[in-house]
Amino acid sequence: MSVEAREARQPWILLAPALSAVTLLLFVPLLFILVYSFWLRTATGADQPGFFLDNWREALTDPFYRDILLSTLRIAAITTAVCALMGYPTAYFIARSRGDKLLMVLLLMLPFWISYIIRTMSWINILGASGAANAALMALGVVSEPVNMLYNEAAVILGLTHYLLPFMILNVFVSLEGIDANVEAAANSLGATRWQSFLEVTLPLSLPGLAAGGLLCFVLGAGTYITPLILGGPRDAMFANLVFEAIITQLNWPLGSALSLMLLLVLGALVAIYNRYLGMTQLMKGLG
Amino acid sequence: MSSVLLKNIVKRFGDFTAVHKTTLDIPDGAFVTLLGPSGCGKTTTLRMIAGLLDPTEGDIVIGGRRVNDIPIHKRNLGVVFQNYALFPHKSVAENVAFGLRYRDVPKADIPRRVQAALELVQLPDLGARRPRELSGGQQQRVALARAIVIEPDVLLLDEPLSALDANLREDMRVELKRIQERIGVTTVFVTHDQSEALAMSDRIVVMSAGRVEQVGAPEQVYNAPASEFVANFLGASNIVPCMCTRRGPEGATLEAPALGAIAVPAARAPKLREGPAKLVLRAEKLQLLPEGAPCDGRITAPAVVETVDYQGQTVRYFVRIGERQFQAINLIEERPFAVGARVVAAFRPQDCAGLPGT
Ligand SMILES: Nc1ncnc2c1ncn2[C@@H]1O[C@H](COP(=O)(O)OP(=O)(O)OP(=O)(O)O)[C@@H](O)[C@H]1O
Ligand SMILES: [Mg+2]
């Protein structure tokens, strides 16, 4: 066998274990879901195999699903914006600090050592009727009755921000680190103030990182199901909660399958647009 | 265009002093080179002039105005960084136009001035390209165009040629000097390459470990080094302990073992007093001749070749003269001497320099 042929084969040999795992654990189940979404749940509760478009018709035309999809995308968008506004300055601070950057990044990862569910539930102890925030407000005499801060959309956005902010910071940090410090100095030497050189040089050069962080926050935020369950009220259900509802509560696998594929398609389209304009390499850098 | 004056400048990073008390006067329009080994504080000095670092002590005066408290963006300096630091997201023309947009230049004039600057660096057709689509030498020229298009008072260059390969470096050296002479801007150039410094500068500032060792014209620094460090940093020198037996207005007489009496001109022994001294004999000035060759008035000594380091056009010998080993760098005519050959080492006394010392 020639050297070229061997070299061409090598990546595939190396990739084989990962590829088989992805195929078995991701594509095969997804295929099942796809098949399921065309089945029909009969009145008796049994699933009838076949090729029925009923689930898809219901998922795509029922205003109930459409409204929740839109509000899911809205919540994800707001969360992403909040993460960007809070994360960018933090990432900038870490990237430009003279201290131990590695330690700071490590501290950033610290929350990941605690389960996401527990981190989310901790907000109940902070924002609940007998939580820390209300206790403080009452002790200060600002309010006399506990204020209702939980189980609304704001609490969901807060919980999501708490969960997603590190992803944003890491992505922006990586792209800021990749910018040559002399480039900003060069802009200053040419007459730009620090703010002007930030706007004209640093910010544009870090946009790929901001976009990658934004995509991650948006996709993870839009697919979340635990946060609205724990911190949201009955009317704050997000799309993933509907899937849960359909499959686990109503045992309607065909409808749940169609709904979950719908969310997958919307988010997939978003990733495709991102990939078209910015490419995946930036996202990989931020994750690695 | 402006002169630059550093008055008792000190720069400390924590406990570490990167630049010790330094005073330096750079006249208007001069091309001054800061020369020294890695870590001697060249970049630190340059960045203080630029306003990228604050001096711990001392004043920086540009064009008669103290600029310590003037931020970099108001100093009107052209800075070229070692890695060029072009804006990767802007085209070549946008890079060059950057500084003009922050000045009172009428918008309509900008393209013309950008084009003129690109022509000056001989890249008239590349305005639309991105920096990553340029070669290293081209990026270098763009960085230079970007720095000079704003008509800076002072041009600051931090090892601008060090990332280029040897041939290109020599071309750019000539080119840079041509442009500097054409626009006549006061220039501070940082390098650790002695030949670059000798070829380009009006004046060389030799630095070592945060201190200025010597300031002078290239010939002066080369021919009359003020210290052993300078003698060795600008090419290889033989430093021979000797005695200064006579010191007069026309020169000094040095007595060195195995070499005899050497009359060094006064200009090359400014600090010499009678007493212990050091003779500086450049390796290029020590010529090896076959035994019995005519030596027309030069000082000669019998020598034995110990090591031959062949370098193509030249050859570097280590020879023994009396008790000491000497270095000699000679052009190759015919064939180099072989190891063990008995030769005559010859040099002219007026090529030597004298340093005070024990
Ligand atoms: N920000 C800093 N903090 C601490 N020490 C520094 C800092 N910047 C430079 N130094 C030290 O100051 C000394 C001089 O550094 P400088 O960059 O001026 O050297 P240089 O002469 O330009 O060397 P090179 O030829 O390698 O570029 C070095 O020993 C360096 O380690
Ligand atoms: Mg340097």
Side-chain angles (χ1 to χ4, degrees):
Chain A
M1 192 168 34
S2 74
V3 177
E4 284 88 352
R6 219 176 315 151
E7 273 181 3
R9 256 181 40 171
Q10 209 163 31
W12 292 106
I13 297 173
L14 294 174
L15 273 175
L19 276 181
S20 355
V22 167
T23 311
L24 269 172
L25 300 175
L26 198 67
F27 283 104
V28 173
L30 216 55
L31 219 64
F32 278 135
I33 297 273
L34 184 65
V35 172
Y36 252 130
S37 72
F38 292 106
W39 288 13
L40 195 63
R41 199 170 94 122
T42 56
T44 59
D47 291 334
Q48 185 184 346
F51 188 78
F52 303 98
L53 292 174
D54 301 45
N55 301 309
W56 282 100
R57 194 174 303 122
E58 187 180 347
L60 290 172
T61 56
D62 192 331
F64 173 71
Y65 296 127
R66 191 196 57 212
D67 289 350
I68 289 190
L69 179 65
L70 288 179
S71 96
T72 298
L73 298 180
R74 184 170 47 83
I75 288 173
I78 294 172
T79 305
T80 303
V82 173
C83 284
L85 288 174
M86 291 174 66
Y88 197 98
T90 314
Y92 190 88
F93 170 83
I94 298 176
R96 290 283 180 273
S97 84
R98 304 231 176 106
D100 191 343
K101 294 181 197 177
L102 210 65
L103 180 74
M104 287 191 250
V105 171
L106 202 70
L107 288 177
L108 207 64
M109 309 291 283
L110 214 57
F112 290 112
W113 297 356
I114 301 165
S115 154
Y116 160 47
I117 299 179
I118 293 178
R119 272 184 286 149
T120 307
M121 292 184 67
S122 70
W123 284 106
I124 295 173
N125 293 323
I126 297 171
L127 300 180
S130 52
N134 270 317
L137 285 178
M138 287 200 291
L140 289 171
V142 182
V143 293
S144 51
E145 293 278 290
V147 188
N148 191 7
M149 292 185 260
L150 273 178
Y151 313 121
N152 52 36
E153 192 177 296
V156 174
I157 290 171
L158 182 72
L160 279 178
T161 303
H162 178 202
Y163 162 44
L164 296 170
L165 193 56
F167 293 105
M168 178 62 88
I169 297 175
L170 275 179
N171 272 280
V172 176
F173 170 76
V174 167
S175 74
L176 283 173
E177 278 286 280
I179 301 175
D180 171 11
N182 278 341
V183 167
E184 232 173 297
N188 293 141
S189 78
L190 291 167
T193 62
R194 288 189 65 172
W195 176 241
Q196 286 167 330
S197 68
F198 171 77
L199 286 183
E200 215 182 325
V201 178
T202 313
L203 185 63
L205 289 177
S206 65
L207 278 185
L210 195 62
L215 181 75
L216 267 182
C217 287
F218 191 90
V219 170
L220 291 173
T224 190
Y225 129 84
I226 287 175
T227 310
L229 201 67
I230 297 177
L231 298 178
R235 288 183 297 118
D236 298 316
M238 288 172 68
F239 207 81
N241 301 97
L242 296 185
V243 178
F244 179 87
E245 185 77 7
I247 292 180
I248 306 294
T249 315
Q250 300 167 12
L251 291 172
N252 189 345
W253 277 76
L255 179 62
S257 300
L259 286 175
S260 66
L261 283 175
M262 200 169 127
L263 185 62
L264 185 72
L265 287 177
V266 170
L267 297 182
L270 211 79
V271 174
I273 292 169
Y274 172 91
N275 190 31
R276 170 79 180 70
Y277 290 104
L278 288 156
M280 277 320 214
T281 40
Q282 184 64 35
L283 199 60
M284 296 305 147
K285 267 192 268 172
L287 289 172
Chain B
M1 248 124 300
S2 296
S3 62
V4 177
L5 176 63
L6 305 184
K7 262 197 260 175
N8 298 319
I9 287 293
V10 175
K11 181 64 189 178
R12 277 188 283 270
F13 296 108
D15 292 340
F16 177 75
T17 307
V19 176
H20 294 272
K21 197 166 268 203
T22 295
T23 295
L24 200 60
D25 187 2
I26 300 170
D28 193 2
F31 192 114
V32 172
T33 298
L34 306 182
L35 175 68
S38 186
C40 70
K42 308 181 295 287
T43 298
T44 305
T45 307
L46 196 80
R47 290 179 84 89
M48 286 194 285
I49 301 174
L52 290 164
L53 282 175
D54 289 324
T56 315
E57 289 171 22
D59 295 329
I60 297 173
V61 180
I62 298 178
R65 187 173 64 144
R66 183 176 180 275
V67 296
N68 286 49
D69 304 317
I70 297 181
I72 173 170
H73 66 273
K74 290 192 185 147
R75 288 194 188 183
N76 196 36
L77 307 173
V79 188
V80 176
F81 295 88
Q82 184 169 355
N83 54 359
Y84 317 140
L86 295 176
F87 307 127
H89 58 306
K90 292 179 183 287
S91 71
V92 166
E94 285 168 342
N95 265 276
V96 178
F98 191 94
L100 294 176
R101 289 197 291 108
Y102 287 97
R103 284 173 171 69
D104 295 327
V105 178
K107 253 211 162 84
D109 278 358
I110 291 181
R112 189 181 50 76
R113 286 182 61 175
V114 166
Q115 193 55 32
L118 287 175
E119 269 158 27
L120 191 62
V121 299
Q122 300 185 349
L123 293 177
D125 306 321
L126 298 185
R129 293 237 196 126
R130 291 287 159 126
R132 65 164 177 280
E133 296 164 348
L134 302 180
S135 73
Q138 290 169 333
Q139 291 183 31
Q140 174 62 68
R141 285 160 195 260
V142 175
L144 187 63
R146 185 179 68 175
I148 58 180
V149 75
I150 60 170
E151 295 175 355
D153 293 334
V154 182
L155 187 59
L156 303 172
L157 308 154
D158 191 357
E159 309 212 18
L161 309 181
S162 65
L164 306 176
D165 68 52
N167 286 334
L168 193 55
R169 190 152 63 216
E170 291 189 4
D171 291 348
M172 274 306 292
R173 179 158 107 185
V174 176
E175 181 84 13
L176 184 61
K177 186 65 188 165
R178 174 185 70 82
I179 292 168
Q180 192 268 339
E181 276 171 355
R182 173 104 167 261
I183 59 178
V185 62
T186 311
T187 301
V188 184
F189 180 86
V190 162
T191 185
H192 58 248
D193 182 325
Q194 47 123 352
S195 58
E196 234 167 72
L198 290 170
M200 300 172 77
S201 322
D202 299 327
R203 212 190 275 191
I204 296 177
V205 179
V206 186
M207 295 179 69
S208 160
R211 288 195 168 81
V212 171
E213 292 273 329
Q214 186 173 9
V215 182
E219 312 83 59
Q220 212 176 343
V221 176
Y222 184 78
N223 289 325
S227 68
E228 236 176 280
F229 174 83
V230 177
N232 272 316
F233 195 72
L234 285 107
S237 290
N238 298 291
I239 313 276
V240 188
C242 59
M243 285 301 283
C244 177
T245 51
R246 202 183 55 79
R247 166 84 228 208
E250 76 293 345
T253 304
L254 299 177
E255 296 269 1
L259 298 177
I262 302 150
V264 178
R268 298 196 173 199
K271 287 192 250 165
L272 212 51
R273 298 275 163 276
E274 283 173 15
K278 283 184 192 131
L279 174 75
V280 179
L281 172 55
R282 293 212 160 273
E284 310 90 84
K285 302 292 185 187
L286 182 63
Q287 177 123 45
L288 303 189
L289 304 166
E291 275 181 318
C295 54
D296 26 82
R298 288 181 282 188
I299 291 174
T300 58
V304 179
V305 177
E306 294 191 326
T307 309
V308 180
D309 181 14
Y310 178 75
Q311 295 173 339
Q313 207 179 12
T314 59
V315 63
R316 179 154 62 150
Y317 298 106
F318 288 92
V319 297
R320 184 156 297 276
I321 303 176
E323 302 284 289
R324 293 185 69 84
Q325 197 178 47
F326 283 71
Q327 225 187 112
I329 297 176
N330 289 178
L331 278 173
I332 298 176
E333 293 156 21
E334 301 175 21
R335 252 193 299 139
F337 294 107
V339 173
R342 300 192 163 275
V343 294
V344 174
F347 61 93
R348 304 191 312 162
Q350 60 267 42
D351 287 337
C352 296
L355 290 173
T358 45

